[in-house]
Amino acid sequence: AGHQRHRQAGPSTPPSSPPNQSLSVQRQLYERDFPLYKQPVEVGHFSLDSERRFFNDDRQLRYYVEPEKSCPNFNLRDGYRDRFIKRDDGVKEKLDHILRWILANRSKLQSKEVAASSSPCALGVNVVTWRGHLTKLLTTPYETQEGWLLAVTRMGGTLYISEVETEAARRDQEDRTERHEEMMYWGYKFEQYTCADDAHSLPDPGGVVNTNEAFCTVVQTRLAEHRLLFSGEVDCRDKDPKAPPPPACYIEMKTSLEISTPKQRSNFHRFKLLKWWAQSFLPGVPRIVAGFRDHDGVVVSVETFHISKISQLIKNETNCWKPTVCMNFCCDFLSFVKSIVTEDNPREVHLFSWEPHRDVTYSIHRDSQYSFLPDWYIREMTS
Ligand code: A3P
Ligand code: MG
Ligand code: MG
């Protein structure tokens, strides 16, 4: 029975049959037709400033400036010692910024179909979470290194999903080498070389890189029967005022080691493109600009990847990932969660847990360290 697919939760599930207690992650169970995934619609955005303060606007949105040369020689190590302010990752923000955005924009959310329908949930969405949490779900069937913990609370008919740091992740963070620590800066430095503060200015590589700053899009979409509201950081947008409206004008920036052997190309397709695809496909960001760097952190080429072309790009790769497996697993995970988390209670948390080569399981916690919906949000939503 452990290898059997879990029952679909829903109106057809008779009340006498209890939901399955675990969910298998085996790829072949998810090789079916691509599920419905509605074109994500941006319903809002917010900014976090240099001190991580929330603003209900786009003040941190940046504009992509194409490098002048195809081999730009950007030095990603520049400024690491003296012009870098790193966000304190010991501060766990959970869903707080998204919840702040929801409170500030509730009227926009509840309009349309939701108000008209007899939807049992107050917000009109089934799931509220970060894009990054969904990215982890999409890549789970192919992940062999890192597990995850996702805390889930049902309130007002909506499932809130917030990540909890695993013991392994905390250890990895503590054990990072100096080299790895520096390399985490390189991605942000690449953004600084290629992004400007407004449509008519140029990037300022002499400035400070401050990773507290962020611009986040909030999108609404539907995965099969699950109405989703999630937010994700956006690196920059097309500066052409005639570019399509968000999220279609957004651009994801990435860095990666330059590819010099067939083995490296294959690994890039099988592992890196999976993560890149999942992250951008979810919010409907259509392209990635990748800076390929050498071992010394010098960008030797820049290449654009169109998300819609990635599945073609990887087709010739043996043993490769499939978008449909990613999306079907995510969809079935959300159905699984919905069938388990039935009590509407902001103080209750179901902690869903997954380790590579295992099934997804869960435990239940009340008024524990895992409760994550803040009082200011509960108060506002229940009054
Ligand atoms: P690259 O991935 O281009 O190297 P994002 O690409 O999601 O906008 O993130 C910006 C940069 O943050 C990354 O750039 C990387 O340097 C760093 N980063 C992202 N996720 C990380 C993670 N899980 N651990 C460490 N660094 C990360
Ligand atoms: Mg980013
Ligand atoms: Mg990026």
Side-chain angles (χ1 to χ4, degrees), residues 10-262:
S12 58
T13 309
S16 57
S17 75
N20 283 2
Q21 298 300 298
S22 66
L23 175 68
S24 170
V25 163
Q26 288 184 65
R27 294 166 204 170
Q28 64 270 25
L29 299 174
Y30 303 98
E31 294 203 4
R32 50 181 197 265
D33 286 349
F34 201 84
L36 173 92
Y37 190 65
K38 278 187 67 181
Q39 186 63 51
V41 173
E42 179 175 89
V43 291
H45 47 243
F46 60 85
S47 293
L48 303 172
D49 75 358
S50 59
E51 292 168 59
R52 209 67 185 166
R53 288 176 300 206
F54 174 97
F55 293 89
N56 187 29
D57 59 38
D58 66 358
R59 67 183 67 193
Q60 295 291 349
L61 176 59
R62 291 177 298 173
Y63 295 78
Y64 177 61
V65 179
E66 198 179 325
E68 296 215 350
K69 289 172 285 198
S70 66
C71 176
N73 279 320
F74 297 142
N75 175 13
L76 303 181
R77 306 184 74 159
D78 179 50
Y80 175 64
R81 297 267 163 225
D82 55 322
R83 299 192 325 280
F84 178 31
I85 297 172
K86 189 171 173 276
R87 176 165 81 94
D88 180 356
D89 48 20
V91 179
K92 300 300 172 201
E93 300 174 324
K94 296 170 278 193
L95 298 185
D96 290 6
H97 297 307
I98 302 178
L99 303 181
R100 233 181 279 286
W101 180 89
I102 289 175
L103 288 189
N105 297 275
R106 242 166 118 183
S107 53
K108 281 192 226 166
L109 263 179
Q110 274 155 333
S111 55
K112 301 177 289 187
E113 45 178 325
V114 179
S117 76
S118 55
S119 169
C121 56
L123 263 188
V125 295
N126 306 118
V127 174
V128 169
T129 193
W130 281 108
R131 177 270 310 276
H133 302 356
L134 294 173
T135 304
K136 286 198 177 175
L137 288 170
L138 259 62
T139 58
T140 295
Y142 299 102
E143 181 62 52
T144 59
Q145 305 294 313
E146 289 166 27
W148 46 250
L149 289 170
L150 291 170
V152 182
T153 292
R154 184 189 286 263
M155 185 174 76
T158 299
L159 296 165
Y160 295 84
I161 306 181
S162 179
E163 188 176 36
V164 172
E165 188 173 53
T166 62
E167 275 304 319
R170 205 164 57 97
R171 271 200 311 273
D172 288 353
Q173 214 173 72
E174 282 165 4
D175 298 347
R176 266 184 217 136
T177 61
E178 182 50 40
R179 163 103 180 155
H180 188 191
E181 197 67 46
E182 182 186 328
M183 285 173 69
M184 284 170 38
Y185 164 80
W186 294 359
Y188 298 108
K189 185 65 189 178
F190 180 57
E191 294 173 16
Q192 191 194 48
Y193 275 114
T194 51
C195 299
D197 287 343
D198 53 76
H200 310 287
S201 63
L202 289 173
D204 174 22
V208 170
V209 170
N210 185 328
T211 58
N212 287 297
E213 297 174 4
F215 167 78
C216 296
T217 180
V218 183
V219 303
Q220 215 169 323
T221 183
R222 188 152 64 87
L223 172 57
E225 73 271 31
H226 309 290
R227 277 198 297 237
L228 316 178
L229 178 81
F230 60 85
S231 176
E233 205 215 329
V234 168
D235 293 335
C236 58
R237 62 157 288 161
D238 189 328
K239 66 184 165 126
D240 186 346
K242 292 200 286 285
C249 61
Y250 291 151
I251 303 170
E252 172 63 39
M253 308 302 297
K254 289 289 180 197
T255 64
S256 196
L257 184 64
E258 61 180 319
I259 296 164
S260 4
T261 68

